[in-house]
Amino acid sequence: MLSIVIKPNTYQDSVSLMMLSSQLSGLPEVDRVSIMMGTPANKDIFADTGFGSPDLEPAGPTDMVIALESADPSAVALIEEKVAEFIKNQASRSAAATYPRVRSLERALAAEPDANLALVSIPGEQAAPEIERLIDKGLHVFVFSDNIPVDDEVRLKSKARDKGLLVMGPDCGTGSLGGLPLAFTNVVNPGPIGIVGASGTGTQEVMVQIDKAGGGVSQAIGLGGRDLSEKVGAITCLQALRALDADPATRVIVLVSKPPAPSVRARVLEVCQELATPVVAILLGERPETEQDGNIRFAGTLEEAARLAVSVAGPVGEAPAAFAAGQRTIRGLFCGGTLASEAAILIARALDVPTDADHHAGFMLHHDGHTVIDLGDDMYTQGRPHPMIDPSLRAHMIRDAFDDPELAVLLLDVVTGFGSHADPAGAIAPALVEGQEAARAAGREVVVIASVCGTDKDPQPLDEQVRILEDAGVVVLDSNAAAVRHALAVLEGIGASRTAQEVPEATRRLVSETPQVVNVGLPAFADPIQQYGGRVVQYTWSPLAGGNRRLQRILAALT
Amino acid sequence: MLSIVIKPNTYQDSVSLMMLSSQLSGLPEVDRVSIMMGTPANKDIFADTGFGSPDLEPAGPTDMVIALESADPSAVALIEEKVAEFIKNQASRSAAATYPRVRSLERALAAEPDANLALVSIPGEQAAPEIERLIDKGLHVFVFSDNIPVDDEVRLKSKARDKGLLVMGPDCGTGSLGGLPLAFTNVVNPGPIGIVGASGTGTQEVMVQIDKAGGGVSQAIGLGGRDLSEKVGAITCLQALRALDADPATRVIVLVSKPPAPSVRARVLEVCQELATPVVAILLGERPETEQDGNIRFAGTLEEAARLAVSVAGPVGEAPAAFAAGQRTIRGLFCGGTLASEAAILIARALDVPTDADHHAGFMLHHDGHTVIDLGDDMYTQGRPHPMIDPSLRAHMIRDAFDDPELAVLLLDVVTGFGSHADPAGAIAPALVEGQEAARAAGREVVVIASVCGTDKDPQPLDEQVRILEDAGVVVLDSNAAAVRHALAVLEGIGASRTAQEVPEATRRLVSETPQVVNVGLPAFADPIQQYGGRVVQYTWSPLAGGNRRLQRILAALT
């Protein structure tokens, strides 16, 4: 038997009601139950899903509608009781939060006059006028809502752009600005990688894999799925790229997208090339034809994009390099022959020069002052043990390297395990500290980058070796390939004297300060913002004029 | 002032002496000191490094020579005291070990009659006859020694091959057989990945990165740096590939090498194609032209080779798939749209079919029974929350999937973070357990593979979500791309009815049993073998006939 219960003027957001419907469907007294607000669209869904009934007729958009299928006559009372309990819980849950809760935009802005970001999760059919009001008030808008017509998207984004404001979305699932989690998002370490993402879980996977690889995220800016279409023309994408380029916390930008429309693709990559910040692009479904083209590195999977970004940006906590005039070369002093070889190959490829074919004196690469030396070469092991056993010669050469005024980057391997020295990191640490002190006294600083070829089960445990190196000022990457890639990115940064273009003041503020947020819609989105130290006001939206579109238009014309 | 002290008939291995020289060089009383055995080659080194003196003349190969440069007259006595202390410590260190210590091969084999592997680290100039004796006795030989003429290498390897024995090396730095660490090696988790390596630290880096990525190593077989040359013709490499192919513990083989000589390269890759076990090849310096060619996947860096191998082999602890007749398809049921898209793209590429362009009903791939569905598609979210919030619909679809007799692999994502369900893994676990039980009752087993898009800082901590999935029988990979690649490798395994070729009994034993080892030379190599549960006898080698080559040849002719 089908029963319809209408609870007049009881607004709850649709996600909460769907969750409640899901829960109550599990009760033994219930065959099926669906609870929604009585909007025209929802009434259609009731009809389409077998809950059609003339009793639905009087329900309006601000009325809650319970549609119940059950053979048990006690079921209606039970469900009404559960719904009342749910509404009471929702109210007390809100009472626990300490941020202000208001029912109008004006009151929200009175409570947070410096708010610069709105998070909008109200029904999409009614969201456009609300977003426009927010833009008019000077707020960036993160639009979680979907079902917003594309023409509205173009109009709103264009209007926002003229004011230096970003419209992230619609249908934007994920974001992170100034360390605040927005909507669906993972908690990751803060760090130097900014993300521009046209897809929700794509951005989430990149964030997660960056975190797993020892990196961290500065900002993650969502675009919505249509921003890179011909029609929208990447309005928000281009704004976001330039915003991150101007963000001092961002040292690498990852662009996550399905392949954009061809004309849009060209424009987006053109802007990527102009940025002062290196870009890693993952255009899902495009097989990269080249590893790197100018300022852009291409990845084939979301995981690869994340790992590439970490190797370019370096791990969390690394200070940006500041070289003196004349510092320009890289020197690799390796004890592992194959590690030296891999480094020489990757560096030679990036600099477009040959490796050293003869390997004379252990040189694996020797070009224009750039060198990679295998200290396991016969020349260095005549009458002395291999440098993996006896690090003393390498320690001397490390110390000497700092006296070279052209040296910018010193690249090392540390190999642990049975057979190796009992403390290979400790054996070179004094030379590193002493060398850096001498370089500093001469007004220079050398960036030292290493990887440890070892595990936590080795006789010299990995984390201890890493700590010793880090204490000696070394930037430690997760693998030899990552260390080499990072060294190359640091080297590339020396030549690049480009500075980021100016961005409008409102754009600059978005990436340089912790945003102050008006949360319009789902209360669940406000809590994590406060939990992570953000200022937020909850604006519990309900449809204007009881959801009557004609009345809404008249009201809008009058205000 | 230069002083020369000769200690007659005091043999110590060269590495220990070089370490000792290093240590004593640090004493304030000492300017420079070098301690070596009095071989003709070492006497040349003394002369070349400024320790030349007529006093060296009488020293023979079994005499220890101390060459000391010092202005302090007390230094000679001090050094002699330190050397005596060192020799005493070496002796007591050996006394602590519980394995037998002998001074001839005959006694070594009497102590360990079932020994099948020798680890040789004696001076290379004198190693060839010793290696030949070991081969004649039926032992595989791991040759750490270098400076062995290439003609000897070819002769010894050919002779060994005829008996089903492997000569690993010369100049073989790294190995792991049956879980025993050989020479320079890292301690990694045991697992399904076998390594064939023509380079020491290359093999070490691959082992380490496999371990970091959650994988494990069955065996690591070193070849030495010349095995893939024209002259040697990859004798050991081909033996090692076939040995690992016959090893039940090895499910993926990684081949680590510099690019081999062209004719050798062709032969090696031909054999790789014939194997029943998939191969990941890293030919350092060759930029891979294709991701996969038949049985071989190509990697561009050592790290990539390791990660590729782990995604193909799966993590440590996974049981090999055993499908019933008729099981042949893959089904991806995703809640993340971009994760579904990435999966569809990688699967379509591997199967050489198109993705589903229309995305009708959330289908991202729909070909010949293989499907990838995005359950966040509008079709599935009409009137119900997104599957990241409400997993109930996906749970139903997961449960139903197990009833499909064609289904071989079920591929899933689990997305955590703010906004997502409070326990997304727990919400689908019962459906997974129930489904697998139903499949088992029907005589089938479905391989379920997932990745968790989440971090340890998420409200639903990563390790707990992984544990819940693993408890429900799911194989969990580190990223979506890795999960998809593993799913494809499992699927690929279904078609492959190839079985490994027969290998000689001695070869089979090498990879199927824990080796029993005779350690010829450096005592330091015996300890880790015993520590990891291996049977080992220390054969403390000293040069035959006091190192007199002519006398040695006569003795060899007589025996």
Side-chain angles (χ1 to χ4, degrees), chain B residues 332-363:
Chain B
L333 295 175
F334 282 82
C335 51
T338 312
L339 301 175
S341 171
E342 180 172 59
I345 289 162
L346 293 175
I347 295 170
R349 204 177 280 170
L351 302 178
D352 202 18
V353 302
T355 52
D356 192 302
D358 297 338
H359 299 342
H360 172 68
F363 277 107

Side-chain angles (χ1 to χ4, degrees), chain A residues 360-379:
Chain A
H360 173 67
F363 277 105
M364 309 296 279
L365 177 88
H366 198 171
H367 179 87
D368 192 24
H370 305 296
T371 53
V372 175
I373 304 180
D374 169 17
L375 296 176
D377 187 86
D378 286 351
M379 152 143 183

Side-chain angles (χ1 to χ4, degrees), chain B residues 110-133:
Chain B
E112 283 294 348
D114 290 331
N116 65 329
L117 173 66
L119 202 170
V120 174
S121 54
I122 61 179
E125 302 78 22
Q126 314 205 39
E130 199 67 40
I131 295 167
E132 189 155 10
R133 284 215 294 157

